[in-house]
Amino acid sequence: MEWNFRRHLILHVLVKLEGDRTPGAVYHILTGKKSSQSIQDMKWYGLTEWYGAFPKLTMEIFQNDLTLFRQNGLLLPSADFIKIPDTAKEMDKDFWSVYVRPVLYNQWKYGAAAGVFWERLALLVQCLSFSLAGSGHFIPVTKEKAVLHWLKTIWPSGREAKIQLADTLHVELNSLLDSFKTEDAAILVNKLGGSAKTGLTYSQIAGALGREEEEIIYRFNGILHYIIEVLQQNSSSFPLLAGLLPAVESSIRLTKTAAETKRLLDKGWSFEKISRFRRLKQSTIEDHIIEIASESSSFPLFDYVPAAYSEKIRAVSNTLQTRKMKELKDQFPDEITYFHIRLTLAYYGGKTDESSI
Amino acid sequence: MNLQYELKKYFGYDSFRNSQETIIRSLLQKEDVLAIMATGSGKSICYQLPAYLQPGLTVVVSPLLSLMENQMQEMQQKQMKQVDMYNSFLSFSEKENVLRNLSALKILFISPESLQLDKVKRALGSVTVSLLAVDEAHCISQWGHEFRTDYLKIKEIRKDIGSPTVLAVTATAAPSVQEDIVNQLEMKKPLIVKESTNRPNISIHVKKTNSDEEKNNELLRTINHSPDPGMVYFSSRAAAEQMSAFLEIHTNKRVSAYHGGMLQEDRILVQQQFLQDELDVVCCTNAFGMGINKPDVRYVIHYHYPKDLESYVQEIGRAGRDGKRSSALLLYKEDDIYLPRFFIEMEFPAEEEIDWLVSHITKGPEISEASLEESAVNRGWEENHIRFFLHYYREWKKGPGGPLADKIKEVKERRTIWKQQKLKSMEEWLQVSTCRREALLHYFGETLQEKPEHCCDLCEAHWVAAATAQKREKRKVFELSWKKRLEDLLLTKESGSAKGEKG
């Protein structure tokens, strides 16, 4: 089996979810599925760094990789939960002990903003460059109407103003990227293009750096996430670049379907009523509630979990230092359900705004 | 009306090419037109100019998103205003916006699926549509090389929106397809304009090889001895990528792949690089080229042969649009015959899949199309398979007939056989022993009037020559010195202090 970045990453997440979840959960984490379950998994197992790393990964490729893992004894046959032999865990550890990870990667928190920021930046640089060169014949780097419209709202009139804007942009990008590793800064700047030269594709950059395309995409996104974090913290040092950031979303981020459940809960509806009304399984509503609890500190936990239970759950999980659901459940009497455990831990752990993840 | 003057005013061209003026005059006199014009011969002007010269809206039906986007792009580059597009890839509010502003537009590009939506029909019904242009009109015919069932409904919609004049445009159409287009669109005594498919400035070459290795070597040798830029067509994405990497290593040319599976942003970059002469060779699938207007492509190579001669003619036609000498080479080997047959197979749902979906319909009470679609999607059906199925399901519901499964399988059978025949014609052409150009034109019902100087390999034409022996270093594209690149992008001589200081 030939190793590549994607396979290393898949193995890594498999190891993290071993014994507790199915391989399918790994797929959803890596593609960044916006479901209650995947988001819970991400928070629960501390996988923010990998969530959405391969948005375009197909199930077919994923399954092929798993098959290869099985054939090479890296993944053991098991009916339900992931089972990994120690040798594979060692290999995983070895790889990540030398691999230089991106400074930051948080697709969950910054992914949406990064997409908009990048499209605005790339379009602005391209248009300024062509405009200063006195040429209007080019294909805009984005087809996103909202971004094209945004450019119109900030586009200066008059050559002087354009030169001024390009100058400022140059100064800010230069000083921002000065603190980056040369390779990271070069990846970002080579993706930018204008009249003299067009931006490079991921595969062209990968070829030049002797890396793989999937890895470059991952690293490039990490660079953007880091830029956004820097800009949010130092907006006064980079007024122009900070101005490219889209408005920050509200701090509570829920999937649409969980938000709907929350709306009904807030109206005082019962669990069963919501389940009947929305024609969703009770377990799905439970997932929603867990998602809501993990995002909102004002969540009325004790409406769902008796205080005595939740105390016990916290105590045991602290002593055992495990995130594995099965191990935890075995410690409690039957009255304490999986739902109680998951809800308690979601409420006390896992708020994504905390930097612990 | 002085059309020459208007042409100059709107497009900046001094004179019309070929039959453009004839077509536009007819349209302005409210006559329907069927135009069979080679790609790159300026068919878009035939509806764009009338759009600006007449009151009301021109609706352009276009089957491919990429086609629409490219046309929009070109018009925007020419600073032409009052143009918009409507397709399923727009967000809800974007769509609403387009429909609300319809009366301010001169040209609306729209997909055939979107055209069928009630709210679209209503909106179009409330404005004056003066011209309905149907691009890639062969899609309307079962016997055209890309049949699209949505095209069959255009005639009904035409009535709903006040029966505007119709212009049907296609690059290639056999006589039976022409007839189908006229009938299906219910065109009234249309003017039929047919331009020759002959491209005298492109020499045509075919070479048989005995193995992949030999093919690769032939490809390498040809590319190394050709003027830039060029295109190489592949029938699979994987092959385009692999051979792009192969050529990148073994030649000193700048090579990139292009196919529909790439990220949108990378696709735009490759297009732009190619247009800006930052690439020498593009290894692509047929997703490339649609609407991309690069006049100086010097050669087109087929690493796999296309599924029919219509596609072949369209693809080699991307070379030499500037009228200068160019060449086309097709490489094949014995066992290349399997791939296109496999693709034909894949174009339709498998028999057992048809049975499976039909069983949903015959089982219980009336089932909605939406839920049929959902079942099919969940099972992993491809979009075009679903469209195919649903179309004949609707047809079947209309009239008396045998079992649904039989009907769909029969259509599938008929279409498959027909496609295999087209493929056979393609393959027979590879075996021609007289003149390739004559044989090609013969297929399209034309005769060769005058043999060009560089005709085909069988007439002993030479491959287009490279200007001088090109012995240059491969240019490095990636710049590790990012500061320099950033300066090049953003600073000019007039810029403030920054550039001078860093020198």
Side-chain angles (χ1 to χ4, degrees):
Chain A
M1 183 182 84
E2 211 175 301
W3 281 100
N4 56 33
F5 181 69
R6 183 187 69 240
R7 289 183 183 148
H8 279 299
L9 233 172
I10 292 175
L11 179 64
H12 191 57
V13 180
L14 280 169
V15 169
K16 295 251 179 185
L17 296 188
E18 201 217 352
D20 233 17
R21 307 284 287 119
T22 62
V26 174
Y27 177 77
H28 296 314
I29 287 288
L30 290 175
T31 52
K33 187 177 181 189
K34 289 191 182 71
S35 71
S36 284
Q37 184 62 62
S38 301
I39 292 165
Q40 283 313 305
D41 281 348
M42 171 196 76
K43 294 173 184 170
W44 185 250
Y45 300 100
L47 299 171
T48 323
E49 210 181 329
W50 319 115
Y51 178 83
F54 303 129
K56 289 213 138 188
L57 178 64
T58 63
M59 193 43 129
E60 199 186 340
I61 291 178
F62 179 72
Q63 291 294 359
N64 272 342
D65 285 346
L66 291 192
T67 306
L68 278 175
F69 286 172
R70 288 193 193 99
Q71 284 165 356
N72 288 276
L74 302 166
L75 179 63
L76 300 174
S78 91
D80 39 16
F81 301 129
I82 301 161
K83 243 172 133 179
I84 307 244
D86 289 343
T87 45
K89 287 181 196 160
E90 281 303 314
M91 286 175 75
D92 176 58
K93 228 163 124 192
D94 290 348
F95 177 80
W96 293 100
S97 65
V98 288
Y99 184 80
V100 183
R101 287 142 88 137
V103 183
L104 178 82
Y105 186 94
N106 193 336
Q107 181 73 13
W108 164 247
K109 190 169 176 189
Y110 297 126
V116 177
F117 172 80
W118 170 248
E119 291 201 337
R120 287 178 176 180
L121 177 65
L123 183 68
L124 180 60
V125 169
Q126 184 192 30
C127 290
L128 280 172
S129 172
F130 274 100
S131 168
L132 293 182
S135 156
H137 282 255
F138 62 94
I139 313 173
V141 284
T142 177
K143 295 184 172 171
E144 207 54 52
K145 274 196 170 185
V147 177
L148 294 167
H149 177 77
W150 165 85
L151 185 74
K152 278 187 198 151
T153 65
I154 64 132
W155 191 241
S157 59
R159 190 169 168 83
E160 268 313 304
K162 282 173 196 138
I163 292 173
Q164 186 56 51
L165 182 64
D167 240 1
T168 316
L169 191 55
H170 177 256
V171 169
E172 285 195 16
L173 276 173
N174 215 10
S175 93
L176 174 74
L177 295 176
D178 255 337
S179 63
F180 282 47
K181 275 184 292 187
T182 307
E183 187 183 276
D184 284 352
I187 289 175
L188 189 92
V189 176
N190 277 274
K191 288 249 2 127
L192 292 168
S195 80
K197 39 193 85 174
T198 305
L200 301 190
T201 65
Y202 293 108
S203 122
Q204 287 165 341
I205 293 175
L209 294 175
R211 292 173 181 260
E212 292 154 43
E213 186 179 3
E214 280 171 320
E215 185 186 1
I216 292 296
I217 295 177
Y218 177 73
R219 297 197 76 93
F220 175 74
N221 284 322
I223 294 166
L224 291 180
H225 300 161
Y226 182 54
I227 289 179
I228 289 173
E229 189 155 286
V230 172
L231 291 180
Q232 280 181 352
Q233 284 160 9
N234 307 296
S235 60
S236 58
S237 316
F238 306 100
L240 175 56
L241 287 174
L244 303 190
L245 292 177
V248 186
E249 297 167 62
S250 71
S251 58
I252 298 183
R253 278 162 300 165
L254 294 177
T255 55
K256 259 197 194 135
T257 175
E260 174 63 13
T261 296
K262 181 172 188 301
R263 194 180 65 84
L264 298 175
L265 281 174
D266 291 347
K267 276 168 76 175
W269 285 30
S270 75
F271 225 87
E272 291 73 21
K273 192 173 172 192
I274 296 174
S275 166
R276 257 201 325 276
F277 177 72
R278 299 199 60 200
R279 296 190 188 182
L280 292 171
K281 277 187 289 186
Q282 192 126 335
S283 62
T284 307
I285 305 291
E286 286 180 1
D287 285 342
H288 293 168
I289 291 174
I290 289 165
E291 187 184 334
I292 297 162
S294 77
E295 282 295 331
S296 153
S297 41
S298 61
F299 180 81
L301 179 69
F302 302 133
D303 288 2
Y304 299 90
V305 188
Y309 287 7
S310 75
E311 248 166 64
K312 218 179 207 164
I313 294 166
R314 289 185 75 192
V316 171
S317 82
N318 279 337
T319 355
L320 280 184
Q321 282 297 316
T322 182
R323 298 240 124 192
K324 304 226 159 119
M325 212 44 87
K326 256 197 148 140
E327 280 175 38
L328 286 170
K329 178 80 171 82
D330 289 344
Q331 306 295 317
F332 302 116
D334 282 351
E335 312 84 89
I336 298 188
T337 62
Y338 274 118
F339 178 59
H340 290 143
I341 303 173
R342 286 176 61 205
L343 189 57
T344 303
L345 295 173
Y347 179 76
Y348 287 107
K351 302 269 188 307
T352 45
D353 286 336
E354 287 164 12
S355 52
S356 60
I357 294 178
Chain B
M1 190 180 295
N2 185 343
L3 285 182
Q4 237 96 26
Y5 168 79
E6 304 289 346
L7 179 73
K8 179 85 184 163
K9 178 174 150 200
Y10 285 100
F11 293 88
Y13 299 134
D14 289 320
S15 60
F16 287 103
R17 284 158 61 188
N18 308 322
S19 39
Q20 283 172 341
E21 187 171 356
T22 322
I23 294 169
I24 292 171
R25 286 206 183 278
S26 296
L27 291 175
L28 290 175
Q29 282 158 21
K30 300 282 162 208
E31 276 180 69
D32 289 347
V33 177
L34 166 61
I36 298 137
M37 304 168 83
T39 28
S41 60
K43 56 181 175 172
S44 52
I45 285 186
C46 296
Y47 51 76
Q48 287 175 5
L49 188 59
Y52 287 97
L53 299 182
Q54 301 184 94
L57 177 70
T58 290
V59 175
V60 184
V61 184
S62 199
L64 286 172
L65 182 67
S66 57
L67 263 180
M68 260 187 245
E69 284 179 338
N70 281 317
Q71 294 227 17
M72 284 272 294
Q73 242 163 43
E74 263 175 53
M75 297 192 74
Q76 280 162 354
Q77 279 172 20
K78 288 184 185 128
Q79 316 283 327
M80 302 183 74
K81 301 271 157 64
Q82 297 172 287
V83 186
D84 216 332
M85 64 173 172
Y86 188 103
N87 57 53
S88 55
F89 290 90
L90 300 182
S91 71
F92 180 78
S93 62
E94 283 171 344
K95 287 183 193 165
E96 294 293 301
N97 258 331
V98 174
L99 293 187
R100 214 174 304 127
N101 294 327
L102 224 44
S103 58
L105 294 181
K106 291 309 295 181
I107 298 182
L108 176 72
F109 291 98
I110 192 164
S111 61
E113 299 87 355
S114 303
L115 195 57
Q116 289 167 37
L117 300 173
D118 282 334
K119 60 176 175 185
V120 173
K121 278 192 265 184
R122 262 199 309 278
L124 286 174
S126 70
V127 298
T128 312
V129 178
S130 48
L131 177 62
L132 177 65
V134 182
D135 206 353
E136 307 287 322
H138 55 264
C139 293
I140 212 165
S141 168
Q142 285 206 49
W143 316 119
H145 57 291
E146 279 160 293
F147 179 47
R148 291 274 295 259
T149 50
D150 314 291
Y151 263 66
L152 295 175
K153 304 210 175 88
I154 297 177
K155 66 175 167 200
E156 288 158 35
I157 294 152
R158 181 188 182 190
K159 284 180 207 142
D160 292 345
I161 58 175
S163 301
T165 313
V166 169
L167 165 67
V169 209
T170 176
T172 47
S176 58
V177 178
Q178 291 175 31
E179 210 173 290
D180 248 11
I181 295 173
V182 171
N183 291 335
Q184 287 292 350
L185 285 173
E186 294 181 356
M187 296 167 90
K188 294 156 243 157
K189 290 195 197 134
L191 169 73
I192 299 182
V193 181
K194 187 165 196 255
E195 287 181 4
S196 172
T197 22
N198 189 22
R199 296 286 304 277
N201 62 320
I202 305 174
S203 63
I204 301 170
H205 310 252
V206 174
K207 177 134 193 158
K208 185 181 173 188
T209 58
N210 292 311
S211 65
D212 276 329
E213 200 191 350
E214 201 184 319
K215 210 190 215 183
N216 294 353
N217 287 337
E218 196 57 40
L219 178 68
L220 260 187
R221 202 185 59 81
T222 309
I223 287 182
N224 272 326
H225 290 89
S226 294
D228 302 322
M231 299 169 68
V232 189
Y233 274 99
F234 298 84
S235 54
S236 78
R237 293 169 177 181
E241 278 190 7
Q242 279 160 20
M243 291 309 291
S244 163
F246 173 82
L247 292 174
E248 176 78 22
I249 295 168
H250 295 288
T251 66
N252 62 354
K253 313 260 178 180
R254 297 160 298 174
V255 190
S256 260
Y258 183 102
H259 58 73
M262 285 165 48
L263 293 170
Q264 159 105 319
E265 61 174 304
D266 281 354
R267 295 213 304 265
I268 297 175
L269 292 175
V270 173
Q271 279 182 29
Q272 179 85 15
Q273 289 170 358
F274 193 56
L275 289 175
Q276 301 248 66
D277 297 323
E278 292 170 78
L279 285 175
D280 303 313
V281 183
V282 172
C283 292
C284 59
T285 62
N286 59 7
F288 193 67
M290 211 70 89
I292 292 174
N293 247 324
K294 185 165 175 63
D296 60 348
V297 175
R298 288 280 69 86
Y299 63 91
V300 168
I301 298 176
H302 280 90
Y303 189 87
H304 297 123
Y305 57 83
K307 62 188 196 313
D308 49 39
L309 283 165
E310 280 86 348
S311 310
Y312 176 72
V313 163
Q314 236 176 57
E315 285 160 14
I316 67 166
R318 309 235 148 84
R321 291 199 180 163
D322 54 8
K324 292 187 186 148
R325 169 109 162 84
S326 310
S327 290
L329 168 66
L330 187 151
L331 295 169
Y332 76 103
K333 64 182 201 322
E334 211 70 63
D335 53 5
D336 280 354
I337 59 167
Y338 299 110
L339 202 57
R341 282 170 177 75
F342 172 71
F343 285 134
I344 290 178
E345 188 82 12
M346 299 295 289
E347 273 185 57
F348 305 100
E351 301 236 321
E352 51 286 11
E353 289 298 304
I354 296 175
D355 287 333
W356 175 82
L357 196 52
V358 166
S359 73
H360 280 65
I361 296 164
T362 42
K363 236 187 250 160
E366 178 90 25
I367 182 167
S368 74
E369 269 184 31
S371 63
L372 266 182
E373 197 172 335
E374 200 189 323
S375 311
V377 167
N378 287 338
R379 186 153 165 118
W381 276 43
E382 280 177 46
E383 205 189 312
N384 58 337
H385 290 179
I386 297 174
R387 262 205 304 251
F388 170 82
F389 184 97
L390 287 181
H391 176 75
Y392 289 103
Y393 170 51
R394 276 177 226 129
E395 292 285 296
W396 173 79
K397 273 203 291 193
K398 271 187 218 157
L404 174 59
D406 290 355
K407 162 151 180 138
I408 293 183
K409 284 180 195 167
E410 184 220 299
V411 177
K412 173 186 163 173
E413 173 85 10
R414 200 153 36 94
R415 303 262 312 134
T416 305
I417 290 174
W418 179 76
K419 286 191 175 233
Q420 283 164 345
Q421 280 166 354
K422 305 285 276 187
L423 180 60
K424 269 205 116 137
S425 302
M426 175 80 228
E427 287 163 347
E428 277 161 17
W429 179 78
L430 296 177
Q431 308 300 334
V432 163
S433 56
T434 51
C435 168
R436 296 204 192 274
R437 189 178 304 269
E438 263 174 23
L440 193 61
L441 290 179
H442 179 76
Y443 175 83
F444 291 105
E446 294 178 45
T447 45
L448 180 60
Q449 304 296 334
E450 189 189 346
K451 207 179 259 294
E453 190 191 341
H454 307 282
C455 184
C456 67
D457 55 338
L458 298 171
C459 298
E460 310 203 321
H462 291 294
W463 184 254
V464 56
T468 46
Q470 293 164 319
K471 262 273 187 227
R472 58 173 174 152
E473 282 294 301
K474 184 164 191 152
R475 271 175 280 173
K476 283 263 176 292
V477 275
F478 184 82
E479 296 171 87
L480 197 56
S481 52
W482 58 270
K483 291 203 171 208
K484 164 85 168 51
R485 184 179 174 97
L486 202 55
E487 280 180 9
D488 291 347
L489 287 173
L490 289 171
L491 301 185
T492 70
K493 284 185 218 95
E494 305 144 76
S495 303
S497 53
K499 190 159 193 171
E501 278 170 20
K502 291 198 178 100

